[in-house]
Amino acid sequence: MSTKDLVRMANQIAVNQAHLPDDQAADIVASHLTMFWAPSMRNELVTAVDAGEADLNEVALRAVRQLQPA
Amino acid sequence: MTLLHEPTGQVAPDLGTPAMPGEPTVEVEIDGVAVAVPEGTSIMRAAAEAGIDVPKLCATDSLKSFGSCRVCLVEIEGRPGAPASCTTPVAPGMKVATTSPKVDKLRQGVVELYLSDHPADSCTAGACELHAMAETVGLSDVRYGQEGHNHLNIEVDASNPYFTFDPKACIVCSRCVRACDEIQGTLALTVEGRGFESLISASGTSFMESECVSCGACVQACPTTALQEKSIIELGMPTRTVKTTCAYCGVGCSFDAEMRGDELVRMTPSKEGGANEGHSCVKGRFAWGYATHRERITVPMVRESITDEWREVSWDEAISFTARRFTELQQQYGPDSIGGITSSRCTNEEVFVVQKMVRAAFGNNNVDTCARVCHSPTGYGLKQTFGTSAGTQDFKSVEDADVILLIGANPTDAHPVFGSRMKQRLRAGAELIVIDPRRIDLVRTPHIEASHHLQLLPGTNVAIVNALAHVVVTEGLVDREFVAARCEDDSFAEWEAFIARPENSPEAMEAATGVPASEIRAAARLYASVPNAAIYYGLGVTEHSQGSTMVMGMANLAMATGNIGRDGVGVNPLRGQNNVQGSCDMGSFPHEFSGYRHVSDDTVRVLFEDVWGREMRADPGLRIPNMFDAAVAGSFRGLFVQGEDVAQSDPNIGHVTAALTALDLLVVQDLFINETAKFAHVFLPGTSFLEKDGTFTNAERRINRVRPVMDPKTGKDEWQVACDISTAMGYPMGYDDASQIMDEIAQVTPTFAGVSFAHLDEAGSLQWPCNDAAPEGTPIMHVDGFVRGKGNFVQTPYVPTDEKANRKFPLLLTTGRILSQYNVGAQTRRTSNVEWHPEDLLEIHEADAAERGIGDGDWVALNSRVGETHMRARITDRVPQGVVYTTFHHPESGANVVTTENSDWATNCPEYKVTAVQIRPANAVDPLRVSADA
């Protein structure tokens, strides 16, 4: 899948939690990605983050770093 | 015209006048037979309930009594004269004679006069109540000739494609006029002239040019052949009926399919249908001809490449080809390289076996459903707040609503039978608040005017619902007792603090929404101040980047004001297609098994593994847009599409077609070679609803039986095809009939535990949950507690969409449906409904049109950042300046060529309702309309 699309979607989820403290928001985003994203999508995003290719906002980045390898 | 001689089947008898509410406390004696009925019941109905038919012409039990024909006269002991039994209520101890020499003579005289101005040979055999009534009252001869002044030379109006109006056969009983008023609520018909000159008129014009919406209520009410279906004129009267369910919108109307031999000649709405109670719309009543359209494909076809010609093959070859190719793709690219899409047009049973095929035979969770692109935010939002993905009410509940808050829905076009029910309630005094960028008909229509129309800018729903809730919280309108008893203390406290912030006030939101703060405040006060306020919503809520947030915002509002858990209140999604609710219930989403249970739940997974004998995956699979993205990227290679036209219905068609083109195997199961099938390697012919045996579940969770009126034209039930593919792929799946599939659904789905075909046949319909706790179903949900226990308030910050108008794309496009067409039009475009809507039009405000030099009816080019399409303009004040609107029923205009990849943050439901566009004059339609890069 396109990293750009995955980043866009992850950032959008995070922006919708922006009213919450960052830690709480990141937990919610990580949970959302686990509950609703296919493992292949999560893996690609993690790989992109590890490679420094994902332009994620702060909350989304913290969330992706919480994800367990699927 | 009504059905006089009941064919085989159970057509409900006509009891003459409507039932009265209450207990049967009034005891009367009719022709010596004792009967007890509720107060206010007419003598005619009491007689009918005692098994005595009083002759009648102007009375029918779907309409208020009228008393014009004077055929139903009776004698009452101790009273003078012969009153009309339809308009005379019973009284305690009353003794009535329905026959006597006096009333017999009176009736004969009345019927004789009618017949003296009525053609003797105009009636289809058995179709005219007047001729039957002559026989009933013992009239053998008409003494008056037809040489005098009469109505026998008036022309027939055959302008409507589905029925004729022959004034010669009309007795001016006003049943049609009253049906248009009391049932449909359109008031298109009237009686023109006085006395002998009285004539039924479609307000002075032809039926086709009038306000008539062709719902068929007048035709059904007509006691003669003055209003008659053309199909009956051409094919004759039916000889038997089969009860079934409409396959159009989410109202799920019950119908009597009336057959003459093996041919369908008429569909009439069933009075005992829980969703429609005898009403219908132009689609369900008349637009069923597509099922036998010449373009229907009934033989399987395959081809190696999408550039090859199709090759007709046997079912065995098609199944083995499909199974082999899917298996090869998994061997080459891995188990997750294939998946399937289920359809909301198919039965619960057909959907269930397809998602089972994916989970058990494909061995992954790559299954999704077309609800992804319509009501998936409803599933997410209502589950977060209430605990399950379902509307809270039955349709009848609206009759107890004092205020109706209608958001992003246009029921008189998209859910017309419920729209009529809503109109009746509004005419009876309920107030209406409409939140919609476009002025829908309900804002102002005969006898109805919305108290408030919050004409917001597309994309600002959450700003509005937050502002409404802000007023409720800051002006002391919260139902504290309800919240304390029924909702979570902590989540309410956090939400209350959030929503009371100044940035959520109507004044703060005014700039974003374009709605005056005073209007929002007044609407909020109205919603919160009445005993019962009900929210109804449609895709104008869900198809946004914050669709799920908006659903939760509405749930918050309903909980905060105590508007949950009884008649007249609730949060009610109006589902688009006939089985959206059911396809979601059946486990079509990639993260959920049937009954909305997550695949990561070990207990649930073990249940399915025990019943199905295969290990289930604990991770969610790909959603539809994810499948397309993965196909373009090359990791997703094979797709099974059941009854869905993604190449027309899904957003950014350029991207969709690129994905479909990239697939190694696309299998399409449908009635017609649709836009998607043009990219397919296998075409598996599907069955129409007239051939299906199964169930649909409507927007009120009502499970209705769909019964076959003819054998499958393909030679195979649709569910059998998925079973055969699954079996050929190494996972044997088989059922003797569809009832066994429902038995399995009940076995693995707690909310369906009490559902079976036998129970449905006995009860008529059942609303889930239907189980030991609610053996006869659940019309109203969350009565004593929410499904999740306590109601959960979720904070709903307004996040503006990324799709903004700018200098290059200064207008906002929003899309919707029209009454006569249905979704991508695959069905309705193959009926005479095209006479009302032959093409999609772009509605544009006069000022925007003038600025661009566009006139009414001109061709225009519609551009967004992803594509361009062409259609004609319609200049209108329905849309405000800066907003344009179109429908998506025709592939030639292809509205979704311009819609974008933006989607709901929680569910990926596309943001169809907001697309920044520019418009310029154009010469004509561009056949190569897709100009975007995929």
Side-chain angles (χ1 to χ4, degrees):
Chain A
M1 292 180 63
S2 149
T3 300
K4 185 179 155 198
D5 287 337
L6 295 171
V7 167
R8 176 176 54 80
M9 291 192 290
N11 280 341
Q12 190 189 5
I13 297 167
V15 166
N16 275 273
Q17 315 306 322
H19 59 293
L20 300 171
D22 281 1
D23 283 353
Q24 193 182 344
D27 288 348
I28 289 175
V29 175
S31 171
H32 191 93
L33 296 179
T34 304
M35 295 287 280
F36 298 105
W37 280 29
S40 57
M41 296 165 64
R42 298 199 301 267
N43 288 341
E44 281 187 49
L45 193 54
V46 169
T47 302
V49 167
D50 290 345
E53 295 170 352
D55 185 19
L56 290 169
N57 60 37
E58 177 61 25
V59 168
L61 186 61
R62 287 166 72 163
V64 172
R65 286 188 172 137
Q66 289 183 36
L67 295 177
Q68 301 299 314
Chain B
M1 36 140 288
T2 50
L3 191 64
L4 280 180
H5 304 295
E6 292 179 7
T8 55
Q10 297 86 40
V11 175
D14 185 347
L15 303 183
T17 64
M20 289 292 118
E23 296 298 312
T25 56
V26 182
E27 295 181 1
V28 295
E29 191 178 299
I30 301 175
D31 293 348
V33 178
V35 62
V37 292
E39 190 177 348
T41 301
S42 70
I43 291 173
M44 176 181 282
R45 187 172 180 105
E49 291 187 10
I52 299 161
D53 285 332
V54 180
K56 61 184 186 297
L57 283 173
C58 74
T60 183
D61 60 10
S62 59
L63 302 171
K64 293 175 200 160
S65 50
F66 194 56
S68 77
C69 74
R70 316 310 292 174
V71 171
C72 70
L73 308 179
V74 295
E75 288 195 273
I76 303 171
E77 190 176 286
R79 294 195 190 182
S85 65
C86 65
T87 53
T88 307
V90 293
M94 181 182 270
K95 291 186 177 177
V96 178
T98 68
T99 59
S100 71
K102 178 181 171 184
V103 296
D104 290 350
K105 191 169 175 54
L106 285 169
R107 285 177 188 150
Q108 285 179 356
V110 170
V111 173
E112 188 179 9
L113 284 169
Y114 276 125
L115 283 174
S116 71
D117 188 17
H118 192 79
D121 58 352
S122 71
C123 300
T124 308
C128 178
E129 282 185 43
L130 179 56
H131 284 102
M133 205 53 61
E135 194 176 322
T136 300
V137 303
L139 181 70
S140 55
D141 223 13
V142 176
R143 292 167 291 171
Y144 317 112
Q146 295 185 334
E147 295 78 21
H149 191 31
N150 60 47
H151 300 89
L152 300 178
N153 292 316
I154 306 177
E155 288 292 308
V156 173
D157 177 354
S159 60
N160 187 289
Y162 295 119
F163 60 85
T164 59
F165 174 54
D166 182 357
K168 294 190 288 296
C170 178
I171 59 171
V172 201
C173 65
S174 288
R175 269 164 64 162
C176 56
V177 177
R178 290 181 284 142
C180 194
D181 175 358
E182 297 175 26
I183 299 174
Q184 169 55 30
T186 294
L187 297 105
L189 304 181
T190 189
V191 181
E192 286 196 346
R194 299 176 69 88
F196 193 79
E197 303 304 321
S198 300
L199 286 175
I200 299 299
S201 167
S203 301
T205 185
S206 71
F207 269 76
M208 195 60 184
E209 290 172 355
S210 73
E211 296 294 312
C212 170
V213 293
S214 297
C215 67
C218 58
V219 183
Q220 186 155 352
C222 181
T224 69
T225 53
L227 285 159
Q228 190 170 32
E229 297 90 347
K230 288 182 176 175
S231 61
I232 294 293
I233 296 170
E234 291 164 11
L235 302 170
M237 287 292 280
T239 54
R240 64 186 175 96
T241 66
V242 179
K243 289 199 176 299
T244 191
T245 304
C246 179
Y248 280 115
C249 77
V251 176
C253 295
S254 297
F255 274 89
D256 296 322
E258 298 185 358
M259 310 294 295
R260 186 174 181 86
D262 291 330
E263 190 165 23
L264 179 64
V265 296
R266 179 166 63 184
M267 294 282 283
T268 49
S270 302
K271 278 195 296 191
E272 60 272 41
N276 57 320
E277 295 183 331
H279 193 30
S280 59
C281 78
V282 62
K283 295 188 285 287
R285 179 74 153 88
F286 296 116
W288 36 265
Y290 69 88
T292 52
H293 194 274
R294 65 184 182 282
E295 290 172 4
R296 176 98 182 262
I297 305 291
T298 57
V299 179
M301 301 189 296
V302 300
R303 56 185 176 182
E304 288 296 324
S305 161
I306 62 172
T307 57
D308 293 346
E309 293 293 314
W310 284 109
R311 181 167 61 88
E312 289 189 358
V313 296
S314 67
W315 272 112
D316 284 348
E317 185 176 345
I319 298 292
S320 63
F321 181 95
T322 302
R324 176 173 55 78
R325 294 286 296 271
F326 272 139
T327 303
E328 288 170 355
L329 289 174
Q330 286 191 302
Q331 289 168 346
Q332 188 172 354
Y333 297 103
D336 294 340
S337 61
I338 66 172
I341 298 174
T342 71
S343 172
S344 297
R345 282 159 52 194
C346 293
T347 64
N348 287 319
E349 293 72 19
E350 290 163 343
V351 167
F352 187 82
V353 294
V354 168
Q355 63 89 33
K356 180 179 176 182
M357 173 183 77
V358 172
R359 296 187 201 278
F362 291 9
N364 62 45
N365 286 325
N366 289 337
V367 61
D368 206 355
T369 183
C370 52
R372 172 67 52 208
V373 300
C374 66
H375 266 291
S376 52
T378 291
Y380 182 89
L382 294 185
K383 183 158 189 176
Q384 296 291 317
T385 48
F386 298 161
T388 193
S389 170
T392 60
Q393 311 297 117
D394 58 3
F395 288 142
K396 200 173 177 58
S397 162
V398 77
E399 294 168 13
D400 291 301
D402 302 300
V403 163
I404 295 169
L405 176 53
L406 184 63
I407 311 177
N410 186 6
T412 53
D413 275 69
H415 304 87
V417 169
F418 178 70
S420 290
R421 197 191 277 263
M422 185 180 276
K423 282 202 286 190
Q424 299 303 345
R425 177 60 197 142
L426 293 168
R427 288 174 64 183
E431 293 201 67
L432 175 65
I433 303 166
V434 173
I435 301 179
D436 203 301
R438 184 169 171 267
R439 195 191 69 235
I440 59 171
D441 283 348
L442 278 173
V443 170
R444 187 176 168 82
T445 197
H447 299 294
I448 292 169
E449 183 158 13
S451 301
H452 303 280
H453 177 201
L454 310 185
Q455 199 166 13
L456 75 177
L457 278 173
T460 62
N461 282 334
V462 173
I464 287 278
V465 82
N466 282 353
L468 291 169
H470 177 92
V471 176
V472 168
V473 164
T474 57
E475 296 192 7
L477 300 172
V478 171
D479 184 340
R480 298 279 168 187
E481 191 178 336
F482 179 91
V483 171
R486 299 286 306 274
C487 304
E488 289 180 348
D489 294 337
D490 290 348
S491 73
F492 174 72
E494 291 168 5
W495 175 79
E496 184 181 31
F498 159 79
I499 209 74
R501 291 180 195 161
E503 64 261 33
N504 288 320
S505 71
E507 291 73 19
M509 292 299 188
E510 188 172 308
T513 64
V515 180
S518 59
E519 272 290 295
I520 297 177
R521 286 194 177 274
R525 290 168 191 147
L526 176 60
Y527 173 81
S529 64
V530 294
N532 292 330
I535 295 172
Y536 292 87
Y537 71 95
L539 304 183
V541 159
T542 55
E543 292 175 343
H544 285 274
S545 64
Q546 283 200 295
S548 294
T549 310
M550 180 61 184
V551 173
M552 294 186 289
M554 295 185 304
N556 291 338
L557 187 64
M559 288 191 292
T561 52
N563 280 308
I564 288 290
R566 61 183 184 278
D567 282 320
V569 298
V571 180
N572 302 284
L574 296 173
R575 308 279 187 167
Q577 302 200 68
N578 52 316
N579 202 31
V580 173
Q581 181 73 57
S583 69
C584 298
D585 299 341
M586 291 299 100
S588 291
F589 287 133
H591 64 284
E592 285 174 336
F593 291 113
S594 60
Y596 305 101
R597 293 161 298 162
H598 201 275
V599 293
S600 64
D601 185 322
D602 292 342
T603 306
V604 176
R605 222 169 45 255
V606 166
L607 167 67
F608 279 89
E609 288 172 348
D610 285 348
V611 174
W612 289 354
R614 277 284 169 103
E615 191 175 341
M616 292 290 111
R617 297 273 291 272
D619 281 317
L622 294 169
R623 300 163 168 174
I624 291 172
N626 309 147
M627 292 180 194
F628 294 154
D629 291 344
V632 170
S635 59
F636 190 74
R637 315 293 297 204
L639 178 62
F640 180 95
V641 180
Q642 175 192 37
E644 180 70 1
D645 194 3
V646 293
Q648 190 183 344
S649 66
D650 285 31
N652 193 355
I653 285 174
H655 181 63
V656 173
T657 55
L660 299 179
T661 306
L663 292 170
D664 295 312
L665 177 63
L666 175 61
V667 181
V668 168
Q669 187 172 29
D670 212 293
L671 301 179
F672 304 103
I673 296 292
N674 58 20
E675 298 302 300
T676 306
K678 292 173 182 170
F679 301 90
H681 306 84
V682 180
F683 185 88
L684 303 174
T687 53
S688 78
F689 78 111
L690 298 172
E691 298 144 56
K692 293 183 188 297
D693 187 12
T695 56
F696 293 150
T697 307
N698 76 354
E700 48 171 3
R701 295 167 281 103
R702 187 184 301 277
I703 308 160
N704 272 313
R705 284 281 280 118
V706 184
R707 296 182 178 86
V709 305
M710 57 185 73
D711 291 334
K713 293 188 177 300
T714 61
K716 197 181 272 285
D717 286 315
E718 206 163 307
W719 55 264
Q720 184 68 51
V721 177
C723 289
D724 290 351
I725 294 170
S726 178
T727 301
M729 292 181 72
Y731 178 73
M733 187 158 52
Y735 305 90
D736 292 338
D737 56 48
S739 75
Q740 290 186 350
I741 305 173
M742 178 53 81
D743 292 344
E744 185 173 309
I745 294 166
Q747 182 186 4
V748 297
T749 315
T751 46
F752 276 65
V755 180
S756 67
F757 279 19
H759 193 181
L760 286 165
D761 289 343
E762 179 192 343
S765 62
L766 295 163
Q767 288 171 272
W768 68 258
C770 176
N771 46 31
D772 287 345
E776 296 307 315
T778 310
I780 308 289
M781 293 198 77
H782 317 300
V783 172
D784 298 316
F786 287 98
V787 168
R788 68 185 304 280
K790 296 270 189 175
N792 180 35
F793 283 86
V794 178
Q795 296 174 55
T796 54
Y798 168 55
V799 178
T801 173
D802 291 337
E803 187 71 10
K804 294 180 170 60
N806 55 29
R807 263 180 50 184
K808 190 173 180 187
F809 301 109
L811 303 171
L812 291 178
L813 169 73
T814 189
T815 61
R817 290 193 207 171
I818 201 163
L819 171 67
S820 57
Q821 295 285 349
Y822 177 70
N823 274 17
V824 296
Q827 294 140 288
T828 45
R829 281 187 284 106
R830 292 180 171 93
T831 71
S832 294
N833 280 26
V834 291
E835 293 190 27
W836 286 280
H837 188 78
E839 60 184 326
D840 294 318
L841 298 171
L842 185 78
E843 290 187 1
I844 183 169
H845 189 271
E846 182 180 23
D848 290 326
E851 189 179 313
R852 291 163 177 79
I854 294 167
D856 194 50
D858 286 355
W859 281 98
V860 296
L862 176 67
N863 289 278
S864 76
R865 61 184 167 79
V866 303
E868 174 177 315
T869 189
H870 292 190
M871 59 185 71
R872 290 180 203 272
R874 171 182 283 167
I875 296 175
T876 175
D877 61 357
R878 276 186 184 272
V879 290
Q881 200 169 347
V883 175
V884 291
Y885 166 91
T886 190
T887 50
F888 55 97
H889 303 306
H890 291 270
E892 295 80 11
S893 48
N896 286 318
V897 169
V898 300
T899 52
T900 71
E901 74 288 352
N902 284 353
S903 64
D904 173 44
W905 65 270
T907 65
N908 280 152
C909 179
E911 191 183 34
Y912 289 108
K913 302 298 184 185
V914 190
T915 306
V917 295
Q918 178 59 295
I919 294 159
R920 67 173 196 278
N923 291 326
V925 67
D926 178 358
L928 301 172
R929 61 184 191 279
V930 180
S931 66
D933 292 330

